Amino acid sequence: MLEQLINQLGFRRIGVRLAISYGLLLVLIAALILMPFSQIQKMTARNKEFTQKEMRSLLDVQALSLSAESVSNALLQLLTSSREKREIEYALVDVKNRQITDLIESLETNLNDQMQLDNLQRLKLRKENYYRIFNEMVNQLEDQGQEIAKQTFIEDVQPALSALLQESKILLDYEQKLVQQHQLQSQDELEKTGLLVIILSSVIILFAAMLAWLTTRSVIKPLAILEQNALRIASGDYTSQVPASNTEEVTRVGTALNLMSAAIAQRERDIEQFAYYDPITRLPNRTYLLKAFEDQELEHYGMILMDLARLKTINETLGFDTGDYVISDVAKRIQEVTQALDSGHKHLLTKLTGGAFALLIPARHKDTVTEIFERIDAAMGQPVRCNQHAVDVSLVYGFAIVTEQKISLISLMRNAEVALYAAKRYTRQSAWYNDAQEASRLSHLSLLSDLRSAVKASELQMWLQPKLNLQNGSIYGFESLVRWQHPERGFISPAEFIPFAEKTGYISIVTQWMLDSALLKLHAWKQHYPNLSIAVNVSTYDLRDRSFPERVVSLLKKYDIAPHLLKIEMTESGIMEDPQATIELLNRLRDTGVGLSIDDFGTGYSSLAYLQKLPVDELKIDRSFVSDIQHAETTKKLVRTIIEMGHGLNLHVVAEGIEQEQEKATLIELGCDAMQGYLLSKPLYGNSLQEWMNLHIPLSQKT
């Protein structure tokens, strides 16, 4: 029955318990506030009544005593004044007498104590006796003179006033006694009220202590159990369960904690799977590999780094699902090879990004690595069959081994990666890591690091190679070529640093420097060579920069150069990487007024369909087409076709790399517009450039 009643009333719920407990506590606090407040209100009402009557009576009695004392002085003044001044003195005495009468009447209205009334009655008799004797004295003063009146004042009036004053003092003393009694009564009531507050406060404190104890028992302890379990969950212990409680809320929270613990445990397993394993192949990933060998130095280990060739083509042609299936199948084949090896060796196969795999092998010699490589490569002999497609698979391999001197896993992986990239660069199936590869890689990294500072330190130089108009023999412009004079390494060929600068994006700072230098040179020529132009080569990276036209316009404005004097040259292959986007950017460049030229034409893979859409005004025929052109009829016909095609598209055609007079004569015969090459001049810089210009540019081209 008790259990049912507890359930029906909801006493198993913390909210119900706390509501009842704090409700009772609020009732006690309200009583503590209201009871003293009621007592204080009563005391205030009595004090107000006392103030209105008793204090008024006390003040009237005090005023009566003062009036009785002052009338005696007024009578003496009257008795000593001349007849002419008595009228004034009579008026003053009458005022004093009326004050006495008014005060007695006021007291008669306010007094309610019997003893006070008896005293007041005697006071009235004394007043009447005084008034009677006073009137007699006044008559004597007017009829018999001052001496007789003075005698009456001394013998009768003064005793009557003294009696009146005595009665008023008795009344005053009694009034003061009543005031003291009232103060004592108020103080007593205040002490009782304070005692009541103390008693109620003690009751509230005891009740609050009991409530705190009950709360601790029914809430804090279960919450402490919940806290301990939560801390165990936070530390990674998901096995402990929160026991059931007789408190409904605690039970619900405990159940939720148990569910949360199970969910977190499952989620951590999922996260670990995602963090340390590849979702496609279920192989350990790079993170797992690094963690497994964290802070370890490896000795007698080899690594085979493998990358699935043509994965990008497979994804683009057959879809990513097919690509994922191929990756999964390749992983199974490699696993079969490693599982077939001696089980005593711990080979760890991991899946890296894309189609790359890493196989860590215990190995003392390169032969061990080579043997495993051959087995893996043999396993790739059969194509992967996916739906209706048979996909040939091939891997590119990079090998690295550590035998004597211990190195970290990171270093071993890096060495294998250097070897893999070397194999790709030289289009080989595999390559071993060697120190020369590392030295080359570090050298290139060092060059890229120095390149940014080289621009600021003025280590780069702009060399200019002149262009000759084959129709009239005039020099109409130059092509700018960058050179790097390193303070420690000396002259560095553009073929050494430009390709790596393009791959890393550093080429943009070189292009910016070349544009700035070219326009600065054109600005310096404005007075003496106002019609000469300078061509600047830009990279594929620059053609992908949508802000490139705005940068060119900004520099033209900065140096106040006519746009047609600046030529932008780009390679045919660079245009064809993304022809649609490049054509859009070239149209924007064309709108600025600068000249656009296709450099090394004939070496790329551009189509005539795109060529006619390009907003260019110049074609530059590559050196490979014009070398010894006078002796090769087939080449001559091809160059003639290029020139006629260029003219058909309203393009200016320039031949590059002319080194022989016969080559020049043949180009004139074929109708080529212009040429550049060592026959005219090699690239020039500084004083050599100026001396050549002074010698070869006719005065008619100078202002």
Side-chain angles (χ1 to χ4, degrees):
M1 292 289 292
L2 180 60
E3 187 73 18
Q4 291 179 353
L5 180 62
I6 291 174
N7 290 332
Q8 289 177 355
L9 295 178
F11 284 126
R12 291 195 182 280
R13 297 176 59 190
I14 296 176
V16 174
R17 297 180 193 176
L18 293 179
I20 294 174
S21 302
Y22 285 109
L24 292 175
L25 184 61
L26 287 175
V27 169
L28 289 175
I29 293 174
L32 176 63
I33 295 172
L34 293 176
M35 291 181 66
F37 181 73
S38 176
Q39 290 294 105
I40 292 171
Q41 275 191 323
K42 291 179 181 179
M43 292 171 58
T44 302
R46 284 199 298 270
N47 286 334
K48 184 177 180 181
E49 181 181 358
F50 172 78
T51 301
Q52 290 176 349
K53 291 186 177 181
E54 299 298 333
M55 290 300 294
R56 176 71 179 273
S57 299
L58 179 61
L59 293 174
D60 288 346
V61 171
Q62 289 176 338
L64 179 62
S65 298
L66 292 174
S67 297
E69 290 178 355
S70 63
V71 77
S72 176
N73 295 328
L75 289 174
L76 287 174
Q77 188 68 28
L78 175 65
L79 293 174
T80 57
S81 299
S82 61
R83 184 177 295 275
E84 293 80 12
K85 296 182 179 180
R86 285 178 190 168
E87 292 296 330
I88 297 174
E89 298 301 330
Y90 278 137
L92 292 174
V93 173
D94 287 341
V95 170
K96 301 293 184 182
N97 288 335
R98 279 198 302 274
Q99 287 179 347
I100 293 173
T101 301
D102 293 340
L103 289 170
I104 291 174
E105 290 176 354
S106 175
L107 287 170
E108 196 171 15
T109 303
N110 294 327
L111 294 178
N112 52 14
D113 186 81
Q114 188 58 45
M115 291 187 64
Q116 288 176 309
L117 293 173
D118 291 343
N119 287 337
L120 183 61
Q121 191 63 33
R122 290 194 297 271
L123 183 62
K124 288 172 64 178
L125 293 175
R126 302 298 184 200
K127 181 201 71 168
E128 291 174 358
N129 183 48
Y130 157 69
Y131 279 175
R132 180 180 56 78
I133 297 172
F134 168 70
N135 290 329
E136 291 177 358
M137 185 194 72
V138 170
N139 292 332
Q140 288 176 350
L141 178 61
E142 296 298 330
D143 296 337
Q144 300 177 13
Q146 290 180 334
E147 293 301 325
I148 298 299
K150 286 180 182 180
Q151 187 66 32
T152 301
F153 173 77
I154 294 171
E155 294 176 356
D156 299 325
V157 175
Q158 269 194 334
L161 281 173
S162 297
L164 177 64
L165 184 60
Q166 184 65 33
E167 288 297 335
S168 68
K169 288 182 178 180
I170 292 172
L171 186 61
L172 177 62
D173 291 340
Y174 191 75
E175 284 294 335
Q176 290 176 341
K177 182 179 179 181
L178 288 178
V179 170
Q180 291 176 353
Q181 288 177 352
H182 180 78
Q183 290 176 340
L184 291 174
Q185 183 181 1
S186 297
Q187 184 176 358
D188 183 59
E189 290 178 354
L190 186 61
E191 289 176 354
K192 289 179 179 179
T193 301
L195 180 62
L196 179 62
V197 170
I198 292 172
I199 293 172
L200 285 175
S201 299
S202 300
V203 171
I204 290 174
I205 291 172
L206 289 174
F207 185 79
M210 183 177 67
L211 178 61
W213 179 77
L214 291 174
T215 303
T216 302
R217 181 179 178 183
S218 62
V219 178
I220 303 302
K221 287 185 178 179
L223 288 180
I225 295 174
L226 294 177
E227 180 186 9
Q228 292 173 359
N229 278 272
L231 291 175
R232 282 197 290 270
I233 292 172
S235 65
D237 180 9
Y238 307 121
T239 58
S240 62
Q241 298 289 304
V242 180
S245 172
N246 59 0
T247 303
E248 183 178 334
E249 288 90 345
V250 174
T251 300
R252 290 206 303 268
V253 174
T255 303
L257 275 177
N258 292 335
L259 292 174
M260 183 183 72
S261 176
I264 292 175
Q266 181 59 44
R267 203 167 292 123
E268 279 203 354
R269 288 192 291 270
D270 295 340
I271 291 173
E272 183 176 1
Q273 183 68 28
F274 285 122
Y276 295 111
Y277 293 88
D278 176 65
I280 298 175
T281 63
R282 303 297 178 184
L283 289 174
N285 59 15
R286 184 176 185 273
T287 304
Y288 179 94
L289 178 62
L290 294 177
K291 188 175 180 62
F293 291 88
E294 188 176 14
D295 299 327
Q296 292 187 35
E297 294 291 318
L298 301 182
E299 184 180 16
H300 303 304
Y301 268 93
M303 176 167 284
I304 301 177
L305 204 61
M306 299 162 273
D307 193 17
L308 182 59
R310 296 179 288 105
L311 178 61
K312 183 174 182 292
T313 304
I314 295 172
N315 287 331
E316 292 177 350
T317 306
L318 303 178
F320 285 94
D321 291 342
T322 302
D324 291 345
Y325 183 83
V326 171
I327 291 172
S328 179
D329 190 84
V330 169
K332 289 179 182 178
R333 297 184 188 190
I334 300 174
Q335 280 182 296
E336 290 173 358
V337 172
T338 58
Q339 290 169 1
L341 297 172
D342 185 358
S343 58
H345 294 161
K346 296 181 180 179
H347 302 87
L348 180 56
L349 176 63
T350 55
K351 169 67 169 60
L352 306 181
T353 58
F357 299 86
L359 180 60
L360 185 64
I361 306 167
R364 290 179 173 270
H365 307 287
K366 287 185 177 183
D367 293 345
T368 305
V369 177
T370 303
E371 179 185 354
I372 296 174
F373 150 66
E374 290 174 350
R375 293 190 180 189
I376 294 174
D377 190 54
M380 301 298 150
Q382 296 298 320
V384 176
R385 298 201 172 273
C386 180
N387 295 328
Q388 304 297 324
H389 306 288
V391 180
D392 290 327
V393 293
S394 61
L395 299 177
V396 182
Y397 303 85
F399 309 130
I401 192 170
V402 50
T403 54
E404 302 299 333
Q405 187 177 0
K406 295 181 180 181
I407 62 173
S408 65
L409 176 65
I410 288 288
S411 298
L412 182 60
M413 289 184 68
R414 183 198 62 192
N415 294 346
E417 188 173 13
V418 170
L420 177 66
Y421 285 141
K424 290 181 178 181
R425 185 164 59 250
Y426 298 112
T427 62
R428 298 200 302 245
Q429 184 187 22
S430 63
W432 276 95
Y433 169 80
N434 57 59
D435 293 337
Q437 294 170 345
E438 178 71 1
S440 175
R441 186 175 66 88
L442 293 175
S443 175
H444 289 143
L445 288 176
S446 176
L447 281 178
L448 291 177
S449 177
D450 292 344
L451 183 58
R452 187 178 295 274
S453 59
V455 174
K456 298 180 180 179
S458 300
E459 295 174 12
L460 298 183
Q461 298 174 355
M462 183 182 71
W463 290 59
L464 297 176
Q465 186 173 35
K467 297 178 181 180
L468 176 69
N469 188 316
L470 293 175
Q471 305 304 317
N472 58 25
S474 64
I475 304 298
Y476 67 92
F478 294 83
E479 178 183 359
S480 62
L481 303 168
V482 65
R483 298 290 184 265
W484 185 0
Q485 190 66 32
H486 196 282
E488 297 177 359
R489 304 188 187 190
F491 175 77
I492 300 176
S493 170
E496 187 174 354
F497 70 88
I498 290 296
F500 290 95
E502 287 181 334
K503 289 181 181 179
T504 57
Y506 277 48
I507 192 64
S508 62
I509 64 174
V510 177
T511 303
Q512 187 71 16
W513 182 87
M514 288 292 288
L515 286 170
D516 197 80
S517 299
L519 291 171
L520 180 62
K521 179 64 73 174
L522 290 173
H523 182 77
W525 286 350
K526 285 184 73 173
Q527 183 177 357
H528 299 293
Y529 309 102
N531 298 318
L532 290 180
S533 64
I534 295 180
V536 176
N537 290 279
V538 299
S539 70
T540 305
Y541 187 88
D542 296 307
L543 295 178
R544 292 197 296 263
D545 183 4
R546 296 186 60 84
S547 66
F548 183 68
E550 286 73 20
R551 287 162 46 199
V552 172
V553 171
S554 176
L555 289 173
L556 288 170
K557 291 181 179 179
K558 175 181 177 182
Y559 292 103
D560 189 24
I561 300 299
H564 71 277
L565 297 179
L566 176 66
K567 306 293 183 181
I568 301 294
E569 294 188 4
M570 74 278 319
T571 62
E572 187 181 2
S573 57
I575 295 173
M576 294 312 297
E577 281 196 9
D578 187 357
Q580 293 290 350
T582 303
I583 289 173
E584 178 187 352
L585 184 136
L586 292 179
N587 278 312
R588 292 169 55 202
L589 272 173
R590 183 68 172 180
D591 292 340
T592 67
V594 300
L596 301 177
S597 175
I598 299 179
D599 196 15
D600 300 334
F601 183 78
T603 60
Y605 305 96
S606 63
S607 67
L608 295 179
Y610 277 116
L611 183 60
Q612 64 182 349
K613 295 179 182 179
L614 294 175
V616 297
D617 49 28
E618 184 177 79
L619 282 183
K620 298 186 72 175
I621 303 174
D622 188 70
R623 163 68 184 164
S624 59
F625 290 96
V626 297
S627 179
D628 290 327
I629 189 173
Q630 69 275 13
H631 302 304
E633 287 299 322
T634 302
T635 303
K636 185 185 297 186
K637 292 178 182 179
L638 179 59
V639 172
R640 184 192 300 274
T641 301
I642 294 174
I643 293 172
E644 290 177 352
M645 179 190 66
H647 289 164
L649 295 173
N650 295 320
L651 301 179
H652 187 255
V653 181
V654 181
E656 297 181 284
I658 308 303
E659 298 181 356
Q660 303 175 25
E661 283 289 348
Q662 295 91 333
E663 293 172 349
K664 175 182 176 183
T666 302
L667 288 170
I668 294 174
E669 176 189 341
L670 295 176
C672 187
D673 299 309
M675 59 155 279
Q676 67 181 84
Y678 274 36
L679 178 62
L680 178 63
S681 172
K682 63 181 181 180
L684 301 167
Y685 177 74
N687 292 333
S688 298
L689 171 65
Q690 189 58 52
E691 290 173 0
W692 189 94
M693 292 176 68
N694 292 336
L695 182 62
H696 291 87
I697 298 180
L699 293 176
S700 60
Q701 288 188 238
K702 302 180 183 179
T703 59

